[in-house]
Amino acid sequence: NPHMYAWAAFFCFAILTSSVKALHNTVPVALILAVRSLIGMACLWPLLQQQGGFRQTLQATRYPGQQILRGALGIAALSLNFWALPQLPLADANGLGQIYPILLVILAPLILKEYAGLKQGAALLVGLSGALLIAQPHGQASALLPVLCVLGSALLSAVGDLLVRYMGRHDHSITITMWFFSLTALCTLVWWLLHDGPAPLDMRQMTLLAVIGIAGAVAQLAMVQAFKLLPAATMGVYSSMGLMWAVVFGWVFFSETPTLWLAGGAFLILTAAWLASYTPPKRAPVLQNPTAQN
């Protein structure tokens, strides 16, 4: 069921972002990304063997250039998001990130030739209003950069995920996922070794990194599979469910009470996602009564 893949993807992403926030910037972003990718590859190794092994799986792609571009976009998006998460309330960060479904609808014509209409344009304006409503109440210069990082991450993620839907027309889900994990692991390991270097980790940090890796593996594979089967606008609606989980996790684990500003902005963003994807049900044709014509 493609809808179950979408639900699983955004639920696991919420777990992942909560775990990143729990690290409180005590672990370098590059190491988080590297561990996430390496654990993800380990989790998917049995499926990889079913596709003929690591090398054959990577060679099975028809889009090597797009795979590299998607990997670069993913690394940049995750880096911006992971850096900003500890500096914003979890619900606020995820609320701002809900501009992502609107960007999916706007960018889909450029990448997938899935054209939007006036309804999608109206949805964009509503969604932008919601994002501004969440960002504005902070009123602090120190919060501006994290907010811009989250919005930039949403833009890069939208482009990368639309590339996934484009490549999914021919490439297997495992191929797309392993290209992403391989590129991310290689680049971020080099980044970490050159910029930060090895440092001891305590048990709590290692546990959170393991959770990030496992949740990231499930989320990535489920996301790729869902994008292959569902239109971009529909995926945008499901991404909004991540906001619900962010509010719950923020309240339970970080004692973050949702504010009226967040509620208002989230309502506008969820409304925009619904507008962007809603299709009125088709009415059954009205059958004429033959006797009425006689």
Side-chain angles (χ1 to χ4, degrees):
N1 187 330
H3 298 278
M4 292 302 296
Y5 285 119
W7 272 100
F10 291 108
F11 176 73
C12 288
F13 274 129
I15 294 176
L16 187 155
T17 54
S18 299
S19 301
V20 171
K21 182 175 177 62
L23 288 171
H24 296 295
N25 274 341
T26 59
V27 176
V29 171
L31 179 58
I32 297 175
L33 291 172
V35 170
R36 180 203 170 186
S37 299
L38 291 172
I39 292 179
M41 294 174 68
C43 291
L44 299 178
W45 199 259
L47 296 176
L48 191 70
Q49 299 308 307
Q50 295 178 9
Q51 303 301 317
F54 180 76
R55 183 175 180 179
Q56 185 171 338
T57 299
L58 294 184
Q59 291 177 337
T61 184
R62 296 191 183 185
Y63 310 99
Q66 288 88 337
Q67 296 281 11
I68 294 173
L69 175 59
R70 192 245 171 169
L73 291 172
I75 293 171
L78 289 170
S79 299
L80 290 174
N81 197 37
F82 286 3
W83 179 84
L85 272 172
Q87 304 181 60
L88 292 171
L90 187 61
D92 281 27
N94 280 269
L96 284 167
Q98 292 309 305
I99 199 66
Y100 162 88
I102 315 305
L103 295 171
L104 281 181
V105 172
I106 300 305
L107 296 173
L110 300 176
I111 299 176
L112 302 175
K113 307 303 180 183
E114 293 182 2
Y115 292 94
L118 292 176
K119 179 181 65 174
Q120 281 74 23
L124 173 65
L125 294 177
V126 175
L128 287 174
S129 300
L132 291 174
L133 191 60
I134 293 174
Q136 184 273 334
H138 294 286
Q140 301 175 0
S142 60
L144 178 59
L145 185 57
V147 165
L148 292 177
C149 286
V150 172
L151 295 177
S153 175
L155 174 61
L156 296 175
S157 295
V159 176
D161 289 340
L162 288 172
L163 284 175
V164 167
R165 179 160 170 78
Y166 175 80
M167 295 184 294
R169 296 170 178 173
H170 296 100
D171 283 7
H172 195 280
S173 299
I174 296 296
T175 297
I176 298 173
T177 302
M178 292 308 297
W179 264 91
F180 178 76
F181 280 153
S182 300
L183 290 170
T184 304
L186 176 62
C187 294
T188 54
L189 275 175
V190 173
W191 173 16
W192 172 59
L193 290 172
L194 293 179
H195 185 268
D196 301 292
L201 299 174
D202 58 33
M203 183 59 66
R204 179 178 177 276
Q205 291 171 325
M206 289 189 289
T207 301
L208 288 171
L209 285 173
V211 171
I212 290 169
I214 295 171
V218 177
Q220 188 65 216
L221 186 60
M223 174 72 76
V224 171
Q225 190 66 19
F227 259 104
K228 290 180 66 173
L229 302 173
L230 294 174
T234 302
M235 285 297 294
V237 173
Y238 278 109
S239 78
S240 300
M241 297 300 102
L243 179 60
M244 174 188 69
W245 294 116
V247 172
V248 172
F249 293 159
W251 175 55
V252 173
F253 298 113
F254 304 105
S255 301
E256 297 174 354
T257 303
T259 64
L260 290 177
W261 291 109
L262 171 64
F267 174 77
L268 289 176
I269 291 173
L270 293 175
T271 300
W274 178 79
L275 286 173
S277 61
Y278 175 72
T279 301
K282 295 181 179 180
R283 296 182 178 179
V286 178
L287 299 178
Q288 295 183 346
N289 188 348
T291 60
Q293 299 177 351
N294 298 329

PDB file of all heavy atoms in Angstrom, residues 202-239:
ATOM      1  N   ASP A 202      29.561   9.201  24.536  1.00  0.00           N
ATOM      2  CA  ASP A 202      29.007   8.464  25.667  1.00  0.00           C
ATOM      3  C   ASP A 202      27.873   7.558  25.182  1.00  0.00           C
ATOM      4  O   ASP A 202      27.475   7.589  24.005  1.00  0.00           O
ATOM      5  CB  ASP A 202      28.531   9.412  26.772  1.00  0.00           C
ATOM      6  CG  ASP A 202      27.487  10.412  26.298  1.00  0.00           C
ATOM      7  OD1 ASP A 202      26.670  10.061  25.410  1.00  0.00           O
ATOM      8  OD2 ASP A 202      27.465  11.542  26.812  1.00  0.00           O
ATOM      9  N   MET A 203      27.328   6.764  26.085  1.00  0.00           N
ATOM     10  CA  MET A 203      26.317   5.779  25.719  1.00  0.00           C
ATOM     11  C   MET A 203      25.052   6.444  25.188  1.00  0.00           C
ATOM     12  O   MET A 203      24.428   5.953  24.241  1.00  0.00           O
ATOM     13  CB  MET A 203      25.982   4.901  26.927  1.00  0.00           C
ATOM     14  CG  MET A 203      24.982   3.792  26.629  1.00  0.00           C
ATOM     15  SD  MET A 203      25.551   2.651  25.322  1.00  0.00           S
ATOM     16  CE  MET A 203      26.959   1.901  26.141  1.00  0.00           C
ATOM     17  N   ARG A 204      24.657   7.565  25.769  1.00  0.00           N
ATOM     18  CA  ARG A 204      23.457   8.266  25.312  1.00  0.00           C
ATOM     19  C   ARG A 204      23.622   8.748  23.875  1.00  0.00           C
ATOM     20  O   ARG A 204      22.717   8.598  23.047  1.00  0.00           O
ATOM     21  CB  ARG A 204      23.171   9.450  26.232  1.00  0.00           C
ATOM     22  CG  ARG A 204      21.954  10.279  25.828  1.00  0.00           C
ATOM     23  CD  ARG A 204      21.705  11.405  26.822  1.00  0.00           C
ATOM     24  NE  ARG A 204      20.599  12.243  26.405  1.00  0.00           N
ATOM     25  CZ  ARG A 204      20.710  13.255  25.538  1.00  0.00           C
ATOM     26  NH1 ARG A 204      21.903  13.518  24.997  1.00  0.00           N
ATOM     27  NH2 ARG A 204      19.657  13.983  25.199  1.00  0.00           N
ATOM     28  N   GLN A 205      24.768   9.318  23.573  1.00  0.00           N
ATOM     29  CA  GLN A 205      25.015   9.800  22.218  1.00  0.00           C
ATOM     30  C   GLN A 205      25.015   8.652  21.214  1.00  0.00           C
ATOM     31  O   GLN A 205      24.447   8.769  20.123  1.00  0.00           O
ATOM     32  CB  GLN A 205      26.346  10.556  22.169  1.00  0.00           C
ATOM     33  CG  GLN A 205      26.337  11.883  22.916  1.00  0.00           C
ATOM     34  CD  GLN A 205      27.717  12.495  23.034  1.00  0.00           C
ATOM     35  OE1 GLN A 205      28.728  11.773  23.171  1.00  0.00           O
ATOM     36  NE2 GLN A 205      27.799  13.811  22.985  1.00  0.00           N
ATOM     37  N   MET A 206      25.646   7.544  21.566  1.00  0.00           N
ATOM     38  CA  MET A 206      25.688   6.396  20.658  1.00  0.00           C
ATOM     39  C   MET A 206      24.292   5.813  20.435  1.00  0.00           C
ATOM     40  O   MET A 206      23.956   5.400  19.323  1.00  0.00           O
ATOM     41  CB  MET A 206      26.642   5.336  21.202  1.00  0.00           C
ATOM     42  CG  MET A 206      28.105   5.740  21.127  1.00  0.00           C
ATOM     43  SD  MET A 206      29.259   4.392  21.533  1.00  0.00           S
ATOM     44  CE  MET A 206      28.974   4.236  23.298  1.00  0.00           C
ATOM     45  N   THR A 207      23.468   5.795  21.494  1.00  0.00           N
ATOM     46  CA  THR A 207      22.105   5.285  21.359  1.00  0.00           C
ATOM     47  C   THR A 207      21.290   6.169  20.423  1.00  0.00           C
ATOM     48  O   THR A 207      20.577   5.673  19.538  1.00  0.00           O
ATOM     49  CB  THR A 207      21.423   5.212  22.735  1.00  0.00           C
ATOM     50  OG1 THR A 207      22.171   4.353  23.590  1.00  0.00           O
ATOM     51  CG2 THR A 207      20.002   4.683  22.594  1.00  0.00           C
ATOM     52  N   LEU A 208      21.403   7.482  20.602  1.00  0.00           N
ATOM     53  CA  LEU A 208      20.670   8.402  19.737  1.00  0.00           C
ATOM     54  C   LEU A 208      21.143   8.303  18.285  1.00  0.00           C
ATOM     55  O   LEU A 208      20.341   8.367  17.349  1.00  0.00           O
ATOM     56  CB  LEU A 208      20.818   9.833  20.246  1.00  0.00           C
ATOM     57  CG  LEU A 208      20.047  10.167  21.527  1.00  0.00           C
ATOM     58  CD1 LEU A 208      20.438  11.532  22.060  1.00  0.00           C
ATOM     59  CD2 LEU A 208      18.538  10.107  21.270  1.00  0.00           C
ATOM     60  N   LEU A 209      22.439   8.131  18.094  1.00  0.00           N
ATOM     61  CA  LEU A 209      22.959   7.968  16.731  1.00  0.00           C
ATOM     62  C   LEU A 209      22.415   6.688  16.092  1.00  0.00           C
ATOM     63  O   LEU A 209      22.101   6.662  14.894  1.00  0.00           O
ATOM     64  CB  LEU A 209      24.482   7.940  16.748  1.00  0.00           C
ATOM     65  CG  LEU A 209      25.193   9.281  16.970  1.00  0.00           C
ATOM     66  CD1 LEU A 209      26.694   9.076  17.143  1.00  0.00           C
ATOM     67  CD2 LEU A 209      24.906  10.238  15.811  1.00  0.00           C
ATOM     68  N   ALA A 210      22.308   5.612  16.893  1.00  0.00           N
ATOM     69  CA  ALA A 210      21.743   4.364  16.368  1.00  0.00           C
ATOM     70  C   ALA A 210      20.289   4.550  15.978  1.00  0.00           C
ATOM     71  O   ALA A 210      19.841   4.063  14.924  1.00  0.00           O
ATOM     72  CB  ALA A 210      21.872   3.262  17.415  1.00  0.00           C
ATOM     73  N   VAL A 211      19.523   5.259  16.803  1.00  0.00           N
ATOM     74  CA  VAL A 211      18.114   5.528  16.485  1.00  0.00           C
ATOM     75  C   VAL A 211      18.017   6.349  15.205  1.00  0.00           C
ATOM     76  O   VAL A 211      17.171   6.080  14.339  1.00  0.00           O
ATOM     77  CB  VAL A 211      17.426   6.266  17.653  1.00  0.00           C
ATOM     78  CG1 VAL A 211      16.033   6.735  17.248  1.00  0.00           C
ATOM     79  CG2 VAL A 211      17.352   5.362  18.876  1.00  0.00           C
ATOM     80  N   ILE A 212      18.880   7.357  15.065  1.00  0.00           N
ATOM     81  CA  ILE A 212      18.892   8.185  13.856  1.00  0.00           C
ATOM     82  C   ILE A 212      19.173   7.328  12.629  1.00  0.00           C
ATOM     83  O   ILE A 212      18.528   7.476  11.577  1.00  0.00           O
ATOM     84  CB  ILE A 212      19.947   9.299  13.987  1.00  0.00           C
ATOM     85  CG1 ILE A 212      19.496  10.332  15.022  1.00  0.00           C
ATOM     86  CG2 ILE A 212      20.203   9.979  12.638  1.00  0.00           C
ATOM     87  CD1 ILE A 212      20.574  11.331  15.406  1.00  0.00           C
ATOM     88  N   GLY A 213      20.133   6.415  12.734  1.00  0.00           N
ATOM     89  CA  GLY A 213      20.479   5.566  11.592  1.00  0.00           C
ATOM     90  C   GLY A 213      19.363   4.631  11.192  1.00  0.00           C
ATOM     91  O   GLY A 213      19.031   4.504  10.002  1.00  0.00           O
ATOM     92  N   ILE A 214      18.742   3.964  12.174  1.00  0.00           N
ATOM     93  CA  ILE A 214      17.667   3.014  11.866  1.00  0.00           C
ATOM     94  C   ILE A 214      16.438   3.745  11.329  1.00  0.00           C
ATOM     95  O   ILE A 214      15.842   3.339  10.315  1.00  0.00           O
ATOM     96  CB  ILE A 214      17.315   2.194  13.127  1.00  0.00           C
ATOM     97  CG1 ILE A 214      18.503   1.319  13.532  1.00  0.00           C
ATOM     98  CG2 ILE A 214      16.086   1.326  12.871  1.00  0.00           C
ATOM     99  CD1 ILE A 214      18.341   0.647  14.884  1.00  0.00           C
ATOM    100  N   ALA A 215      16.042   4.833  12.015  1.00  0.00           N
ATOM    101  CA  ALA A 215      14.886   5.602  11.544  1.00  0.00           C
ATOM    102  C   ALA A 215      15.145   6.179  10.158  1.00  0.00           C
ATOM    103  O   ALA A 215      14.252   6.211   9.299  1.00  0.00           O
ATOM    104  CB  ALA A 215      14.563   6.724  12.532  1.00  0.00           C
ATOM    105  N   GLY A 216      16.384   6.623   9.921  1.00  0.00           N
ATOM    106  CA  GLY A 216      16.723   7.173   8.611  1.00  0.00           C
ATOM    107  C   GLY A 216      16.665   6.134   7.508  1.00  0.00           C
ATOM    108  O   GLY A 216      16.237   6.430   6.386  1.00  0.00           O
ATOM    109  N   ALA A 217      17.070   4.904   7.805  1.00  0.00           N
ATOM    110  CA  ALA A 217      17.023   3.837   6.801  1.00  0.00           C
ATOM    111  C   ALA A 217      15.584   3.521   6.409  1.00  0.00           C
ATOM    112  O   ALA A 217      15.251   3.432   5.218  1.00  0.00           O
ATOM    113  CB  ALA A 217      17.713   2.588   7.337  1.00  0.00           C
ATOM    114  N   VAL A 218      14.734   3.337   7.415  1.00  0.00           N
ATOM    115  CA  VAL A 218      13.324   3.035   7.130  1.00  0.00           C
ATOM    116  C   VAL A 218      12.664   4.200   6.404  1.00  0.00           C
ATOM    117  O   VAL A 218      11.924   4.008   5.425  1.00  0.00           O
ATOM    118  CB  VAL A 218      12.575   2.716   8.439  1.00  0.00           C
ATOM    119  CG1 VAL A 218      11.095   2.472   8.155  1.00  0.00           C
ATOM    120  CG2 VAL A 218      13.185   1.499   9.114  1.00  0.00           C
ATOM    121  N   ALA A 219      12.927   5.432   6.876  1.00  0.00           N
ATOM    122  CA  ALA A 219      12.309   6.604   6.263  1.00  0.00           C
ATOM    123  C   ALA A 219      12.736   6.764   4.812  1.00  0.00           C
ATOM    124  O   ALA A 219      11.909   7.062   3.939  1.00  0.00           O
ATOM    125  CB  ALA A 219      12.674   7.852   7.064  1.00  0.00           C
ATOM    126  N   GLN A 220      14.023   6.581   4.542  1.00  0.00           N
ATOM    127  CA  GLN A 220      14.527   6.772   3.190  1.00  0.00           C
ATOM    128  C   GLN A 220      13.931   5.759   2.208  1.00  0.00           C
ATOM    129  O   GLN A 220      13.471   6.123   1.124  1.00  0.00           O
ATOM    130  CB  GLN A 220      16.051   6.666   3.185  1.00  0.00           C
ATOM    131  CG  GLN A 220      16.714   7.040   1.884  1.00  0.00           C
ATOM    132  CD  GLN A 220      16.528   8.501   1.531  1.00  0.00           C
ATOM    133  OE1 GLN A 220      16.382   8.836   0.361  1.00  0.00           O
ATOM    134  NE2 GLN A 220      16.532   9.381   2.521  1.00  0.00           N
ATOM    135  N   LEU A 221      13.919   4.484   2.605  1.00  0.00           N
ATOM    136  CA  LEU A 221      13.379   3.461   1.719  1.00  0.00           C
ATOM    137  C   LEU A 221      11.880   3.649   1.515  1.00  0.00           C
ATOM    138  O   LEU A 221      11.376   3.532   0.390  1.00  0.00           O
ATOM    139  CB  LEU A 221      13.665   2.072   2.300  1.00  0.00           C
ATOM    140  CG  LEU A 221      13.277   0.877   1.417  1.00  0.00           C
ATOM    141  CD1 LEU A 221      14.022   0.930   0.089  1.00  0.00           C
ATOM    142  CD2 LEU A 221      13.563  -0.430   2.125  1.00  0.00           C
ATOM    143  N   ALA A 222      11.156   3.958   2.597  1.00  0.00           N
ATOM    144  CA  ALA A 222       9.714   4.170   2.482  1.00  0.00           C
ATOM    145  C   ALA A 222       9.412   5.400   1.641  1.00  0.00           C
ATOM    146  O   ALA A 222       8.461   5.406   0.841  1.00  0.00           O
ATOM    147  CB  ALA A 222       9.100   4.317   3.874  1.00  0.00           C
ATOM    148  N   MET A 223      10.218   6.455   1.792  1.00  0.00           N
ATOM    149  CA  MET A 223      10.017   7.672   1.014  1.00  0.00           C
ATOM    150  C   MET A 223      10.202   7.412  -0.480  1.00  0.00           C
ATOM    151  O   MET A 223       9.393   7.846  -1.307  1.00  0.00           O
ATOM    152  CB  MET A 223      11.002   8.743   1.481  1.00  0.00           C
ATOM    153  CG  MET A 223      10.993  10.011   0.653  1.00  0.00           C
ATOM    154  SD  MET A 223       9.514  10.993   0.931  1.00  0.00           S
ATOM    155  CE  MET A 223       9.901  11.719   2.509  1.00  0.00           C
ATOM    156  N   VAL A 224      11.266   6.707  -0.816  1.00  0.00           N
ATOM    157  CA  VAL A 224      11.522   6.413  -2.233  1.00  0.00           C
ATOM    158  C   VAL A 224      10.373   5.596  -2.822  1.00  0.00           C
ATOM    159  O   VAL A 224       9.881   5.881  -3.926  1.00  0.00           O
ATOM    160  CB  VAL A 224      12.855   5.665  -2.388  1.00  0.00           C
ATOM    161  CG1 VAL A 224      13.024   5.149  -3.810  1.00  0.00           C
ATOM    162  CG2 VAL A 224      14.024   6.576  -2.022  1.00  0.00           C
ATOM    163  N   GLN A 225       9.926   4.581  -2.103  1.00  0.00           N
ATOM    164  CA  GLN A 225       8.847   3.731  -2.596  1.00  0.00           C
ATOM    165  C   GLN A 225       7.555   4.529  -2.736  1.00  0.00           C
ATOM    166  O   GLN A 225       6.823   4.361  -3.724  1.00  0.00           O
ATOM    167  CB  GLN A 225       8.651   2.550  -1.639  1.00  0.00           C
ATOM    168  CG  GLN A 225       7.720   1.473  -2.172  1.00  0.00           C
ATOM    169  CD  GLN A 225       8.277   0.750  -3.390  1.00  0.00           C
ATOM    170  OE1 GLN A 225       9.484   0.792  -3.648  1.00  0.00           O
ATOM    171  NE2 GLN A 225       7.422   0.106  -4.153  1.00  0.00           N
ATOM    172  N   ALA A 226       7.259   5.389  -1.764  1.00  0.00           N
ATOM    173  CA  ALA A 226       6.034   6.178  -1.823  1.00  0.00           C
ATOM    174  C   ALA A 226       6.067   7.165  -2.974  1.00  0.00           C
ATOM    175  O   ALA A 226       5.054   7.350  -3.676  1.00  0.00           O
ATOM    176  CB  ALA A 226       5.826   6.913  -0.500  1.00  0.00           C
ATOM    177  N   PHE A 227       7.209   7.813  -3.203  1.00  0.00           N
ATOM    178  CA  PHE A 227       7.305   8.780  -4.288  1.00  0.00           C
ATOM    179  C   PHE A 227       7.197   8.114  -5.656  1.00  0.00           C
ATOM    180  O   PHE A 227       6.813   8.752  -6.636  1.00  0.00           O
ATOM    181  CB  PHE A 227       8.613   9.566  -4.191  1.00  0.00           C
ATOM    182  CG  PHE A 227       8.441  10.937  -3.602  1.00  0.00           C
ATOM    183  CD1 PHE A 227       8.816  11.189  -2.301  1.00  0.00           C
ATOM    184  CD2 PHE A 227       7.885  11.965  -4.339  1.00  0.00           C
ATOM    185  CE1 PHE A 227       8.655  12.439  -1.736  1.00  0.00           C
ATOM    186  CE2 PHE A 227       7.723  13.222  -3.793  1.00  0.00           C
ATOM    187  CZ  PHE A 227       8.100  13.467  -2.483  1.00  0.00           C
ATOM    188  N   LYS A 228       7.559   6.839  -5.748  1.00  0.00           N
ATOM    189  CA  LYS A 228       7.404   6.131  -7.011  1.00  0.00           C
ATOM    190  C   LYS A 228       5.937   5.881  -7.331  1.00  0.00           C
ATOM    191  O   LYS A 228       5.552   5.777  -8.506  1.00  0.00           O
ATOM    192  CB  LYS A 228       8.140   4.781  -6.952  1.00  0.00           C
ATOM    193  CG  LYS A 228       9.659   4.902  -6.945  1.00  0.00           C
ATOM    194  CD  LYS A 228      10.322   3.549  -6.878  1.00  0.00           C
ATOM    195  CE  LYS A 228      10.059   2.730  -8.139  1.00  0.00           C
ATOM    196  NZ  LYS A 228      10.831   1.471  -8.144  1.00  0.00           N
ATOM    197  N   LEU A 229       5.101   5.786  -6.298  1.00  0.00           N
ATOM    198  CA  LEU A 229       3.719   5.351  -6.482  1.00  0.00           C
ATOM    199  C   LEU A 229       2.682   6.451  -6.317  1.00  0.00           C
ATOM    200  O   LEU A 229       1.551   6.300  -6.781  1.00  0.00           O
ATOM    201  CB  LEU A 229       3.410   4.214  -5.489  1.00  0.00           C
ATOM    202  CG  LEU A 229       4.310   2.977  -5.590  1.00  0.00           C
ATOM    203  CD1 LEU A 229       4.018   2.019  -4.440  1.00  0.00           C
ATOM    204  CD2 LEU A 229       4.113   2.278  -6.926  1.00  0.00           C
ATOM    205  N   LEU A 230       3.041   7.549  -5.654  1.00  0.00           N
ATOM    206  CA  LEU A 230       2.067   8.598  -5.362  1.00  0.00           C
ATOM    207  C   LEU A 230       2.478   9.910  -6.027  1.00  0.00           C
ATOM    208  O   LEU A 230       3.671  10.219  -6.118  1.00  0.00           O
ATOM    209  CB  LEU A 230       1.954   8.810  -3.853  1.00  0.00           C
ATOM    210  CG  LEU A 230       1.377   7.653  -3.035  1.00  0.00           C
ATOM    211  CD1 LEU A 230       1.468   7.962  -1.549  1.00  0.00           C
ATOM    212  CD2 LEU A 230      -0.072   7.375  -3.432  1.00  0.00           C
ATOM    213  N   PRO A 231       1.509  10.726  -6.474  1.00  0.00           N
ATOM    214  CA  PRO A 231       1.825  12.038  -7.044  1.00  0.00           C
ATOM    215  C   PRO A 231       2.481  12.947  -6.008  1.00  0.00           C
ATOM    216  O   PRO A 231       2.316  12.771  -4.798  1.00  0.00           O
ATOM    217  CB  PRO A 231       0.450  12.587  -7.461  1.00  0.00           C
ATOM    218  CG  PRO A 231      -0.444  11.392  -7.546  1.00  0.00           C
ATOM    219  CD  PRO A 231       0.073  10.409  -6.548  1.00  0.00           C
ATOM    220  N   ALA A 232       3.194  13.949  -6.503  1.00  0.00           N
ATOM    221  CA  ALA A 232       3.910  14.860  -5.608  1.00  0.00           C
ATOM    222  C   ALA A 232       2.959  15.573  -4.657  1.00  0.00           C
ATOM    223  O   ALA A 232       3.262  15.747  -3.474  1.00  0.00           O
ATOM    224  CB  ALA A 232       4.703  15.872  -6.439  1.00  0.00           C
ATOM    225  N   ALA A 233       1.802  16.021  -5.158  1.00  0.00           N
ATOM    226  CA  ALA A 233       0.866  16.742  -4.301  1.00  0.00           C
ATOM    227  C   ALA A 233       0.347  15.863  -3.168  1.00  0.00           C
ATOM    228  O   ALA A 233       0.183  16.316  -2.032  1.00  0.00           O
ATOM    229  CB  ALA A 233      -0.310  17.265  -5.134  1.00  0.00           C
ATOM    230  N   THR A 234       0.093  14.596  -3.459  1.00  0.00           N
ATOM    231  CA  THR A 234      -0.377  13.676  -2.414  1.00  0.00           C
ATOM    232  C   THR A 234       0.699  13.465  -1.361  1.00  0.00           C
ATOM    233  O   THR A 234       0.418  13.432  -0.160  1.00  0.00           O
ATOM    234  CB  THR A 234      -0.765  12.328  -3.043  1.00  0.00           C
ATOM    235  OG1 THR A 234      -1.777  12.541  -4.019  1.00  0.00           O
ATOM    236  CG2 THR A 234      -1.286  11.368  -1.982  1.00  0.00           C
ATOM    237  N   MET A 235       1.946  13.340  -1.788  1.00  0.00           N
ATOM    238  CA  MET A 235       3.036  13.200  -0.834  1.00  0.00           C
ATOM    239  C   MET A 235       3.172  14.439   0.029  1.00  0.00           C
ATOM    240  O   MET A 235       3.536  14.367   1.205  1.00  0.00           O
ATOM    241  CB  MET A 235       4.344  12.926  -1.572  1.00  0.00           C
ATOM    242  CG  MET A 235       4.453  11.512  -2.116  1.00  0.00           C
ATOM    243  SD  MET A 235       4.442  10.274  -0.805  1.00  0.00           S
ATOM    244  CE  MET A 235       5.983  10.628   0.024  1.00  0.00           C
ATOM    245  N   GLY A 236       2.865  15.598  -0.547  1.00  0.00           N
ATOM    246  CA  GLY A 236       2.908  16.826   0.228  1.00  0.00           C
ATOM    247  C   GLY A 236       1.938  16.805   1.387  1.00  0.00           C
ATOM    248  O   GLY A 236       2.247  17.268   2.493  1.00  0.00           O
ATOM    249  N   VAL A 237       0.762  16.258   1.156  1.00  0.00           N
ATOM    250  CA  VAL A 237      -0.229  16.162   2.231  1.00  0.00           C
ATOM    251  C   VAL A 237       0.280  15.251   3.341  1.00  0.00           C
ATOM    252  O   VAL A 237       0.169  15.569   4.531  1.00  0.00           O
ATOM    253  CB  VAL A 237      -1.569  15.648   1.682  1.00  0.00           C
ATOM    254  CG1 VAL A 237      -2.550  15.392   2.812  1.00  0.00           C
ATOM    255  CG2 VAL A 237      -2.158  16.653   0.709  1.00  0.00           C
ATOM    256  N   TYR A 238       0.855  14.124   2.980  1.00  0.00           N
ATOM    257  CA  TYR A 238       1.363  13.214   3.991  1.00  0.00           C
ATOM    258  C   TYR A 238       2.528  13.817   4.773  1.00  0.00           C
ATOM    259  O   TYR A 238       2.701  13.536   5.964  1.00  0.00           O
ATOM    260  CB  TYR A 238       1.793  11.896   3.357  1.00  0.00           C
ATOM    261  CG  TYR A 238       0.651  10.951   3.123  1.00  0.00           C
ATOM    262  CD1 TYR A 238       0.193  10.675   1.839  1.00  0.00           C
ATOM    263  CD2 TYR A 238      -0.005  10.342   4.178  1.00  0.00           C
ATOM    264  CE1 TYR A 238      -0.864   9.810   1.620  1.00  0.00           C
ATOM    265  CE2 TYR A 238      -1.057   9.480   3.978  1.00  0.00           C
ATOM    266  CZ  TYR A 238      -1.491   9.220   2.694  1.00  0.00           C
ATOM    267  OH  TYR A 238      -2.539   8.373   2.496  1.00  0.00           O
ATOM    268  N   SER A 239       3.322  14.658   4.123  1.00  0.00           N
ATOM    269  CA  SER A 239       4.436  15.287   4.836  1.00  0.00           C
ATOM    270  C   SER A 239       3.932  16.175   5.960  1.00  0.00           C
ATOM    271  O   SER A 239       4.621  16.369   6.977  1.00  0.00           O
ATOM    272  CB  SER A 239       5.290  16.110   3.871  1.00  0.00           C
ATOM    273  OG  SER A 239       4.678  17.350   3.579  1.00  0.00           O
TER     274      SER A 239
END
